[in-house]
Amino acid sequence: MTKTISVTATAEKTPGAKSDAATTTPVKLKRGRPPKSATKPVATDADTGATLEPAPKRRRTYTKKAKAAENGTSLGVDEGVFFTSRLSALEADTTQFVPGDEDISMFEEARAAASISEGGVEGGGTTPSTPSALASTVEYQAKKIQLGSYVIDSWYLSPFPDEYSRHNLLYVCEYCLKYMKSEFTFKRHCQRCEQRHPPGDEIYRDDNISVFEVDGRKNKIYCQNLCLIGKMFLDTKTLYYDVEPFLFYILCENDEQGYHFAGYYSKEKRSSMGYNLSCIMILPSKQREGYGKLLIEFSYLLSKKESVPGSPEKPLSDFGLLSYRSYWRRAIYEILLTCDGAVSIDDLAAQTGMTIDDIISTLQTDGMLHRMPGTPGSYAIVANAKKIKEYVSKAQEKSPRRIDPCKLRWAPFLIKAPLSAAPTNRRRSTSTALAISSTLVNVTSDNENDK
């Protein structure tokens, strides 16, 4: 929108010229802008009335620098005087700010001391910024976590983000597993957190023990936090953020306040090697309560539900190998005590959910598997029934809590066709494996040879 404004322009009077009448010229202007003047302002002398010429623009020059440029020479640091129009010669002298040898030595000492205190290399090491670099230093790690009412010391380095790794103690919510670096934030989160159990489906409950199945694709943040906490107590764990191909089974203790995290194990959704467990971890505050063997037994219960024998992912850690050998020995011994006459390796695999390799390895470790003379490919289990009964009774007293299959409410994630023989994880010849699985193994009680 434009507005028409009338502007009166008066011509300048000159000697001997007649004055013209004032003319009115319409000018269209945009709203918000002042009208342009018809004539430029002219400077005049107040006394004589003569017109003054505009002063030429002058550039700011430095006399000493210009003379040096004309002579073809350059100024040194000690010869240069800057801002002479504003500063005195003493104030413009910058030579006093040039660091000397003493200043340089003091700087090097301070930098070396700061590098040592930050865990770097003496002599000016840089501060690491990546998670792998942080894990290589001792200072940059979360040494403790507060989970619920427990303050737990970490065993190994865990690649938390940089802003969290610099803190000695991290606060973790025992329900959603969110980690925080300040106690104030943690208390405020506990007041506002509405989650009282792990995300996913509760597939097992027995008294105060519950197990939840959590999909890594549907609950990515929760599973990533779970892996970061698990790395603090597992040396061989290398996967933290790629959780989508895995299922997580969370063991909790339930009460009137909610479901408290105690441990977990994970497994692949599609395992080409037939693994039923990839990683298992029990919190140090919940160990010595039989939860490790409880989760191992639960993993084999799911394998039997799928009608596919399973095995843990190899290689096993030292604690994992001890736990699994203890469970394998107990599971096999309980079947040998209840069997009538003869049992085959396939029967043991079907009743325990174990693979043929794990069964044979356990029997060979205990010295119970012997080749029958005169019959190639036939084996016999030679064991002392009294020792087996004593071992089973002690194991039941030590770990009385067992998994009840009737309380499982679960359907396989992927429906598989039942296999006649379990997949072998080690490179064993096919003919040998088939010969062992198809041969009846006689269970005898040899009191003379206590095997």
Side-chain angles (χ1 to χ4, degrees):
M1 181 177 181
T2 60
K3 183 179 181 181
T4 303
I5 303 175
S6 297
V7 180
T8 302
T10 305
E12 183 182 357
K13 292 182 179 182
T14 56
K18 297 181 179 180
S19 60
D20 297 335
T23 60
T24 302
T25 305
V27 180
K28 294 183 177 181
L29 300 176
K30 294 183 178 180
R31 177 177 294 181
R33 292 186 178 181
K36 294 182 179 179
S37 177
T39 59
K40 296 182 179 180
V42 179
T44 57
D45 191 357
D47 299 333
T48 61
T51 303
L52 300 178
E53 295 293 335
K57 296 181 179 180
R58 294 185 301 175
R59 295 183 178 180
R60 184 178 296 176
T61 58
Y62 300 98
T63 306
K64 199 169 184 179
K65 186 176 181 180
K67 288 182 180 180
E70 291 178 0
N71 298 332
T73 60
S74 60
L75 292 176
V77 177
D78 55 345
E79 298 178 357
V81 180
F82 307 99
F83 306 105
T84 55
S85 60
R86 297 180 181 271
L87 303 178
S88 63
L90 181 61
E91 294 174 343
D93 185 13
T94 59
T95 57
Q96 57 182 338
F97 301 106
V98 177
D101 296 337
E102 184 180 358
D103 299 327
I104 294 176
S105 62
M106 292 174 61
F107 172 75
E108 293 294 339
E109 292 176 0
R111 185 171 65 174
S115 176
I116 294 175
S117 63
E118 293 180 358
V121 182
E122 184 176 359
T126 58
T127 301
S129 58
T130 59
S132 59
L134 289 175
S136 62
T137 60
V138 179
E139 295 296 332
Y140 290 115
Q141 62 165 323
K143 296 181 179 179
K144 299 179 181 179
I145 60 170
Q146 180 175 339
L147 187 64
S149 58
Y150 297 95
V151 178
I152 308 172
D153 295 332
S154 64
W155 298 353
Y156 306 99
L157 302 181
S158 183
F160 284 96
D162 295 1
E163 56 180 322
Y164 296 92
S165 298
R166 297 176 180 269
H167 293 266
N168 186 37
L169 175 63
L170 292 181
Y171 301 88
V172 182
C173 177
E174 60 180 338
Y175 301 112
C176 66
L177 299 186
K178 180 180 179 181
Y179 49 88
M180 290 148 279
K181 51 188 177 181
S182 67
E183 186 178 3
F184 174 76
T185 307
F186 172 69
K187 291 182 179 180
R188 185 177 61 180
H189 171 81
C190 292
Q191 294 176 357
R192 297 183 178 183
C193 184
E194 299 179 355
Q195 189 171 342
R196 285 296 177 266
H197 60 82
D201 302 326
E202 184 180 9
I203 59 176
Y204 181 84
R205 181 188 293 182
D206 185 10
D207 197 12
N208 66 327
I209 299 298
S210 298
V211 178
F212 288 80
E213 183 182 51
V214 182
D215 191 348
R217 183 180 64 85
K218 296 180 181 179
N219 304 277
K220 190 174 181 179
I221 302 298
Y222 180 89
C223 296
Q224 288 178 352
N225 296 342
L226 183 65
C227 292
L228 288 175
I229 296 174
K231 181 61 182 75
M232 301 182 75
F233 311 104
L234 297 174
D235 187 21
T236 58
K237 186 172 180 58
T238 57
L239 191 64
Y240 321 110
Y241 297 104
D242 187 17
V243 297
E244 296 183 2
F246 292 88
L247 292 172
F248 296 84
Y249 296 90
I250 318 299
L251 178 67
C252 299
E253 295 178 344
N254 57 70
D255 56 14
E256 62 277 0
Q257 297 180 356
Y259 294 79
H260 307 277
F261 173 72
Y264 83 99
Y265 83 90
S266 62
K267 75 170 184 177
E268 292 182 271
K269 297 177 183 177
R270 295 177 179 269
S271 178
S272 59
M273 302 297 294
Y275 294 140
N276 63 352
L277 187 144
S278 299
C279 174
I280 183 172
M281 189 275 297
I282 304 296
L283 290 176
S285 58
K286 301 296 181 181
Q287 293 181 1
R288 301 293 182 180
E289 297 184 16
Y291 287 155
K293 293 180 181 178
L294 198 70
L295 284 180
I296 293 175
E297 185 179 1
F298 187 82
S299 67
Y300 280 106
L301 175 61
L302 300 188
S303 297
K304 289 188 288 185
K305 190 77 173 180
E306 293 176 331
S307 301
V308 178
S311 178
E313 186 174 341
K314 309 298 190 304
L316 291 171
S317 61
D318 296 337
F319 289 105
L321 184 60
L322 292 175
S323 300
Y324 264 95
R325 281 184 176 175
S326 177
Y327 172 77
W328 290 339
R329 185 177 294 111
R330 176 179 177 178
I332 293 175
Y333 285 2
E334 288 177 348
I335 296 177
L336 294 180
L337 289 177
T338 58
C339 68
D340 297 331
V343 63
S344 66
I345 300 295
D346 285 339
D347 295 335
L348 293 176
Q351 296 183 41
T352 60
M354 298 166 51
T355 60
I356 294 175
D357 283 343
D358 293 338
I359 295 174
I360 295 176
S361 174
T362 304
L363 295 176
Q364 288 180 343
T365 302
D366 295 345
M368 299 170 60
L369 192 62
H370 294 265
R371 186 187 297 271
M372 297 180 64
T375 308
S378 299
Y379 297 82
I381 298 178
V382 182
N384 189 337
K386 182 179 180 180
K387 286 189 174 183
I388 292 179
K389 290 181 180 180
E390 292 178 355
Y391 181 86
V392 172
S393 61
K394 289 182 180 180
Q396 291 177 354
E397 292 177 0
K398 186 177 181 180
S399 300
R401 184 171 297 178
R402 303 295 298 273
I403 292 293
D404 188 0
C406 300
K407 297 182 180 180
L408 178 66
R409 300 293 182 267
W410 178 79
F413 183 79
L414 295 175
I415 300 176
K416 303 177 182 179
L419 300 179
S420 58
T424 57
N425 298 327
R426 295 181 301 175
R427 293 187 175 179
R428 182 188 297 274
S429 62
T430 307
S431 59
T432 305
L434 292 177
I436 293 176
S437 61
S438 60
T439 303
L440 290 178
V441 181
N442 295 323
V443 182
T444 61
S445 178
D446 192 354
N447 296 325
E448 296 179 359
N449 300 324
D450 293 341
K451 299 294 183 179

